[in-house]
Amino acid sequence: MAGGMGLGPVAVLLVDQVFLLAVAAMIAREVVAGRNWRNLKVLVPVSLLWLANVVFHVEAMLSGDAVHGRRFGMALLIFLIMLIGGRIVPSFSRNWLVQRGAKSLPTAFNRFDALGLVVGAVALVSWVAAPSGMTVAVSAGLAAILHMVRLLRWRGHATWPSPLLLMLHLAYLMVPLGLAAVSAAALGLIAPNVGAHVLGIGAVTAMTVAVMMRATMGHTGRALIAGRALVVAFALVLIAMVLRVVAGRVAIGALDGIDLAAGAWTAAFAIVTWRLGPWLLHPKRAQKAVSRAPQ
């Protein structure tokens, strides 16, 4: 991408397709080998991400920018958070609350959630097509309300004793906040890039980091307890989002908000790598080590 190998734009496009095509091939191989045809649907988001990547390159070659390709890829990731995050966040929260004898539990997936997904999809498609105007303003605003209500039904406030769970709720919170920012930007009330930063850094990155932490702990036999370092790492991701949104109004010496956001982002992933890396490089702990761990 930086031109270090002397490749032209078309060659770079072709090289950059290899990763997602390899992922799709791996998925297809496993589905065929196991004859689990229902899981072929997993190829749909991967294929759409591949298409968004192609659009990014073609658009950049034709116009020098890739605004539609970037929004297309971002929209796909946000919808996956709505869909998959909308399953795991209330599920993990329910398990944890049940273990503690809570009477009030997260609401199970129902027609309201389905409505939120449909409206969210309409809002995201509208945003990809044109980020300004009444269509995206209304659809994104309505989607923000629906997904905020959806989040509130998952009893996130009751999970505060478990930072690892609370991270998932905070990460999902960035979805309605980002959609609200997209709506406000469509009406000209705030800068157009605010929604993209809240959705990209806030929702996508925060959710990715939170799930990486939990999955690594679970698959390496560790207790599902974040610890101070990982809590700080997650907080740094959200700080990076805030700094990027207010970039033009923040400065420390020669560093502006973009520089500071990049520093917070880098520090967050450095901490995550430092904490999770050794766990992934060593054998899994005995299962009994997590049998008493909070879920």
Side-chain angles (χ1 to χ4, degrees):
M1 295 293 288
M5 297 176 66
L7 300 176
V10 175
V12 169
L13 182 156
L14 294 175
V15 170
D16 198 34
Q17 306 316 306
V18 174
F19 173 71
L20 287 172
L21 289 175
V23 171
M26 234 170 37
I27 293 171
R29 182 191 64 187
E30 295 298 322
V31 170
V32 172
R35 297 187 177 277
N36 193 355
W37 308 116
R38 290 188 307 170
N39 283 340
L40 278 174
K41 61 188 177 184
V42 179
L43 285 173
V44 174
V46 176
S47 299
L48 289 174
L49 281 172
W50 168 76
L51 179 59
N53 197 26
V54 173
V55 170
F56 175 92
H57 284 278
V58 173
E59 191 179 5
M61 285 188 283
L62 294 177
S63 66
D65 204 345
V67 291
H68 289 88
R70 287 200 302 269
R71 289 200 300 270
F72 186 10
M74 182 75 68
L76 287 168
L77 295 175
I78 294 302
F79 187 75
L80 284 175
I81 291 174
M82 292 177 178
L83 184 63
I84 301 173
R87 296 284 190 176
I88 65 173
V89 176
S91 175
F92 292 160
S93 301
R94 173 181 288 272
N95 293 342
W96 187 84
L97 289 169
V98 166
Q99 287 184 0
R100 278 146 190 78
K103 301 300 181 183
S104 183
L105 301 174
T107 305
F109 188 94
N110 56 27
R111 291 181 179 178
F112 181 85
D113 297 89
L115 175 63
L117 290 175
V118 171
V119 175
V122 171
L124 292 169
V125 170
S126 301
W127 180 55
V128 172
S132 61
M134 287 304 298
T135 300
V136 67
V138 173
S139 60
L142 179 57
I145 294 171
L146 291 174
H147 283 273
M148 180 62 79
V149 174
R150 189 185 188 203
L151 177 62
L152 293 174
R153 293 167 11 128
W154 295 341
R155 303 276 300 159
H157 64 280
T159 66
W160 66 266
S162 172
L164 199 62
L165 265 181
L166 188 60
M167 288 178 195
L168 293 172
H169 289 267
L170 291 175
Y172 198 94
L173 174 62
M174 299 303 114
V175 172
L177 292 183
L179 290 170
V182 167
S183 179
L187 296 173
L189 301 178
I190 60 176
N193 62 355
V194 172
H197 294 319
V198 176
L199 293 173
I201 305 176
V204 176
T205 307
M207 183 63 78
T208 300
V209 167
V211 173
M212 283 168 57
M213 292 176 184
R214 187 183 183 92
T216 301
M217 291 173 192
H219 288 288
T220 59
R222 278 155 177 87
L224 299 177
I225 301 173
R228 292 181 181 177
L230 293 179
V231 170
V232 169
F234 183 84
L236 284 170
V237 171
L238 298 184
I239 290 171
M241 178 200 70
V242 174
L243 289 170
R244 186 63 186 86
V245 168
V246 299
R249 298 189 294 274
V250 175
I252 297 179
L255 303 177
D256 62 11
I258 296 177
D259 299 320
L260 297 172
W265 170 288
T266 304
F269 278 91
I271 294 172
V272 169
T273 303
W274 166 63
R275 290 294 293 148
L276 303 189
W279 298 350
L280 295 169
L281 293 174
H282 290 87
K284 181 178 179 178
R285 284 186 174 179
Q287 190 63 35
K288 64 179 182 180
V290 295
S291 60
R292 298 184 300 276
Q295 299 298 313

